[in-house]
Amino acid sequence: MKEDQFRTLYTKAVDSMKPGEEMKKELIDKLVHQQERKRPRKTVYIAASIVLAAGIGLAAPNIWQQLNGQSTQGQIAQVTPGPSDAGNPSTDTSRSIIIPKLELPDPKSGVKADMIALVVYKDNIYTQSATRIDATDAAALRGDKLGRTTGGIDEWSGKDKYIELASNIGETDIYSVKGYDSNFLIMSYSEINGEVFAELYEHTNGITVNSGADLFGKLNLEGRITSAQWESFDSWNNGLQKYTPLAVDEAFSGFLTALNGAKPLAAEPLIEQGIYDSEERKIIYLQLEDNARVELTLFGQGLVRYGQAPVFFEVESGAFQKLWDSMKL
């Protein structure tokens, strides 16, 4: 099995986990017993398999998942009260969503936590991106070298470890990504014995989202999509990888336009209300001209989510439904 296939299958398996109380207790006990031990992180390629948080709280957007606390920390989106400029998504602050800046937890708080893959760059935490690249395409996207990561961050790190280019992915070179703002996307890249190990990391915290353009605009989707596919929930949920071509036609262009103007909604309430309990989901994969692959999840309620950013987007119903209805087996 190829590495990307394994990663996809593992991510889906982890995302679909609904652990019981016994499993949670075992995880907590394990972390308590290991608290005094530093666990090295040597790999330069971190797969989604370390997203333990996702296995504990389904689709939880938090970089940190507290195991013995009553509340999550860090990345719960907030609705911003403010003056309304209705009709102009880019300035209508009444619908803004603030995604707080991620911070490392205070180890003195007694919180036990696990984390997803991350890199600290320019005082911000970049987490593993929902946009993928194949190793064979990474070199072409590699931009300027930004530095080299150190390890140093693990589940028990304090804020003193929050230093430039600290990470939990070991030592590897970090580059900008051609065609993307390094304030949003960076790349880890190493060659070992002729084999390329590369991964994208994105900065989707510490930002205010007024519309879909504030997130999807950073991916430069419009005019760069060379092909698209979609996958049913059943295929996705069972790791079947049954992809069906999706026409990049007028309906699709209308959807993308509506996506950029979509209203952001805080993820936490929707997750608590059980949005992931429904199987009314379809996943679309967008192949870009630079061979990056963007994954979006569409929910039957007319919502779209990208990666782990704690925000959903409510797309104009006509444009959403037209695309949704075109995806039939």
Side-chain angles (χ1 to χ4, degrees), residues 117-287:
L118 64 87
V119 174
V120 179
Y121 177 63
K122 289 188 174 179
D123 200 34
N124 291 308
I125 293 179
Y126 288 64
T127 55
Q128 189 177 35
S129 177
T131 296
R132 309 296 188 189
I133 52 169
D134 290 336
T136 52
D137 299 315
L141 277 171
R142 187 176 49 169
D144 297 328
K145 184 173 179 178
L146 304 176
R148 185 172 177 82
T149 60
T150 60
I153 292 180
D154 58 28
E155 293 86 341
W156 303 279
S157 296
K159 292 183 179 180
D160 60 320
K161 300 295 185 182
Y162 185 85
I163 59 176
E164 184 71 357
L165 291 173
S167 76
N168 62 359
I169 62 171
E171 296 184 14
T172 184
D173 292 329
I174 297 294
Y175 294 84
S176 62
V177 184
K178 291 180 180 178
Y180 299 86
D181 187 344
S182 61
N183 289 319
F184 169 65
L185 198 66
I186 58 176
M187 176 198 297
S188 64
Y189 184 99
S190 292
E191 293 186 22
I192 301 175
N193 297 328
E195 187 173 1
V196 172
F197 297 86
E199 192 72 54
L200 297 175
Y201 294 86
E202 60 194 11
H203 172 220
T204 57
N205 63 88
I207 62 174
T208 298
V209 180
N210 296 309
S211 69
D214 290 326
L215 184 58
F216 301 111
K218 297 175 180 178
L219 293 167
N220 306 321
L221 297 179
E222 291 194 78
R224 293 204 313 132
I225 298 173
T226 57
S227 64
Q229 295 175 307
W230 72 279
E231 184 179 17
S232 68
F233 174 80
D234 179 68
S235 171
W236 178 88
N237 193 45
N238 292 290
L240 302 179
Q241 298 185 314
K242 292 183 178 179
Y243 305 127
T244 303
L246 179 62
V248 184
D249 55 10
E250 183 178 347
F252 192 87
S253 296
F255 168 78
L256 280 185
T257 299
L259 184 61
N260 279 327
K263 177 183 178 180
L265 301 173
E268 193 73 8
L270 291 166
I271 293 172
E272 290 179 352
Q273 292 165 15
I275 189 170
Y276 280 96
D277 293 340
S278 171
E279 297 183 359
E280 285 295 305
R281 276 179 268 168
K282 298 174 182 177
I283 298 87
I284 61 175
Y285 305 92
L286 311 178
Q287 192 73 29

Side-chain angles (χ1 to χ4, degrees), residues 59 61 128-130 202 215 276 295-297 305-311:
Q128 189 177 35
S129 177
E202 60 194 11
L215 184 58
Y276 280 96
E295 177 179 329
L296 304 176
T297 303
R305 191 177 186 197
Y306 170 74
Q308 293 295 313
V311 58

Side-chain angles (χ1 to χ4, degrees), residues 19-36:
E21 293 302 319
E22 184 178 352
M23 178 179 177
K24 291 180 181 178
K25 184 177 182 305
E26 289 179 357
L27 290 169
I28 293 170
D29 290 342
K30 181 180 179 182
L31 286 176
V32 169
H33 290 311
Q34 292 182 343
Q35 189 172 16
E36 299 303 323

